[in-house]
C-alpha cells in the first residue's frame, strides 16, 4: 500500500493475498482464508473482495455461510449457483447476484462451462442486523446502461432496479471505453472504495490497474477516466 494524499489510500494489486490450486486462482483484497494482513481487515462494512478465476468444469462444492451479504459479479464466462433455498441459476456478465446468508445458508458455485474459464468477483458485506431470513436475488443490467456511466446494482433501498442489500451501501459498476470520463460526488460523512475490475483507469489523475483498490475518505469529487478502457466497481458506504 502507498499513501497518495491525506484522503485516499491505494491498495496495490500486487500486495493482495493469493490462493492458487489446480482449478482456482483467487486474489484477496482483504484478509481471507490463509491470507492475513492487519492492514487489510476490511473497510467500513466491506469485508471481502475476492477476484476468482475457475477453470472449466470446476468450482466450490456445497459450503455454508451466515450473517453476511454476499454479492457475486461475473466479469467473463458464466457461474452456476445452487443453494439450500432451492435456487438454481446461472450468473453471467452484467448480472448482480445477492445472497443474504442470515441465519444460515448452504450453496455451491461451479463454472457453468466445461471448457471455458469463468472470472468473477465475490464481495462480502456485513449486514446491518444479524439473524436475517436467508434470501436470494439476481438482476441483469445491460451493457448500454453500464457503459460510460455509473449503474447502481445494489442498494439498501433497492432503488432504480438495484438488488437489495441489508446495509447502508450503494454499489455501482461501470464499463469505461477509451476517452470516457465519469464524475462522482461523495456526500458528506460517506466513505468510498473503488475497485478496478479490468483494464486501466485513472482516479483524479492517478493511474490504476486491474486488481488495484482505493480507500477514499474525505474526497468530495471523484473523476474516473481511461485511455484504453476498463471496468470498475464503486462502493459508497456509510
Amino acid at each position: 500500500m502507498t499513501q497518495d494524499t491525506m484522503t485516499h489510500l491505494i491498495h496495490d494489486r500486487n500486495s493482495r493475498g493469493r490462493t492458487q490450486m489446480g482449478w482456482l486462482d483467487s486474489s484477496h483484497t482483504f484478509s481471507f482464508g490463509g491470507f492475513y494482513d492487519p492492514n487489510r481487515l476490511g473497510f467500513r462494512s466491506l469485508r471481502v473482495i475476492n477476484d476468482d478465476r475457475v477453470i472449466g468444469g470446476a468450482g466450490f462444492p456445497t459450503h455454508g455461510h451466515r450473517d453476511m451479504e454476499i454479492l457475486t459479479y461475473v466479469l467473463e464466462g458464466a457461474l452456476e449457483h445452487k443453494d439450500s433455498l432451492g435456487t438454481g441459476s446461472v450468473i453471467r456478465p452484467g448480472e448482480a447476484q445477492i445472497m443474504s446468508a442470515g441465519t444460515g445458508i448452504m450453496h455451491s458455485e461451479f463454472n457453468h462451462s466445461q471448457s471455458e474459464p469463468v472470472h468473477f468477483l465475490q464481495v462480502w458485506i456485513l449486514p446491518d442486523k444479524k439473524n436475517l431470513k436467508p434470501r436470494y436475488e439476481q438482476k441483469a443490467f445491460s451493457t448500454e446502461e453500464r457503459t460510460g456511466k455509473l449503474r447502481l446494482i445494489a442498494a439498501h433501498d433497492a432503488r432504480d432496479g438495484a438488488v437489495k442489500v441489508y446495509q447502508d451501501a450503494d454499489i455501482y459498476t461501470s464499463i469505461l471505453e477509451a476517452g470516457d470520463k465519469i464524475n462522482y460526488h461523495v456526500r458528506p460523512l460517506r466513505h468510498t472504495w473503488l475497485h478496478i475490475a479490468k483494464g486501466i483507469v485513472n482516479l483524479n489523475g492517478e493511474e490504476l490497474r486491474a486488481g488495484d483498490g482505493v480507500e477514499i475518505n474525505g474526497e468530495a469529487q471523484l473523476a474516473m477516466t481511461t485511455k484504453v478502457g476498463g471496468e470498475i466497481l464503486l462502493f459508497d458506504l456509510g
Side-chain angles (χ1 to χ4, degrees):
M1 295 183 296
T2 58
Q3 181 133 17
D4 178 74
T5 71
M6 292 298 291
T7 53
H8 76 245
L9 187 68
I10 298 172
H11 293 247
D12 186 87
R13 60 197 177 279
N14 294 319
S15 64
R16 293 180 294 174
R18 194 85 177 269
T19 297
Q20 290 178 292
M21 53 188 74
W23 59 274
L24 171 68
D25 186 350
S26 180
S27 294
H28 316 301
T29 294
F30 302 113
S31 295
F32 183 86
F35 168 61
Y36 176 78
D37 182 337
N39 296 313
R40 287 179 175 244
L41 299 179
F43 176 65
R44 309 296 292 178
S45 58
L46 185 58
R47 284 296 176 270
V48 167
I49 301 178
N50 284 349
D51 188 339
D52 294 337
R53 298 173 188 266
V54 175
I55 66 170
F60 300 91
T62 301
H63 58 283
H65 297 282
R66 63 174 300 140
D67 291 327
M68 194 65 70
E69 298 290 282
I70 300 175
L71 177 79
T72 300
Y73 186 78
V74 173
L75 297 168
E76 295 175 330
L79 188 69
E80 188 168 345
H81 166 96
K82 292 182 180 179
D83 64 41
S84 53
L85 299 176
T87 307
S89 68
V90 177
I91 313 160
R92 293 183 169 86
E95 298 181 341
Q97 178 229 60
I98 189 80
M99 187 175 69
S100 295
T103 54
I105 194 167
M106 303 291 290
H107 79 136
S108 64
E109 296 161 299
F110 276 84
N111 190 335
H112 184 59
S113 171
Q114 293 297 310
S115 57
E116 299 299 320
V118 60
H119 179 199
F120 64 99
L121 300 175
Q122 188 164 97
V123 175
W124 294 10
I125 294 175
L126 289 172
D128 55 14
K129 61 187 70 173
K130 293 186 175 182
N131 298 317
L132 292 164
K133 182 180 179 181
R135 70 182 183 99
Y136 177 94
E137 186 180 4
Q138 181 175 332
K139 289 187 177 180
F141 304 93
S142 70
T143 300
E144 181 181 5
E145 60 187 318
R146 293 180 293 125
T147 300
K149 51 188 173 290
L150 291 169
R151 178 49 163 112
L152 184 71
I153 61 171
H156 190 271
D157 59 2
R159 68 186 184 281
D160 298 332
V163 298
K164 180 175 178 61
V165 57
Y166 285 107
Q167 182 52 264
D168 181 10
D170 291 339
I171 305 174
Y172 298 86
T173 186
S174 181
I175 299 168
L176 288 87
E177 297 179 340
D180 283 344
K181 181 176 181 179
I182 296 174
N183 293 303
Y184 186 74
H185 175 72
V186 184
R187 291 167 289 160
L189 304 179
R190 303 292 293 182
H191 307 266
T192 48
W193 182 280
L194 177 66
H195 179 81
I196 310 302
K198 297 170 71 174
I200 302 175
V201 175
N202 288 356
L203 171 65
N204 291 351
E206 181 157 14
E207 183 178 282
L208 302 164
R209 291 176 177 260
D212 285 340
V214 189
E215 171 186 332
I216 305 163
N217 295 291
E219 290 190 48
Q221 298 293 335
L222 306 180
M224 292 157 281
T225 62
T226 182
K227 294 180 180 179
V228 298
E231 189 166 354
I232 61 172
L233 267 70
L234 180 68
F235 301 83
D236 185 327
L237 307 167

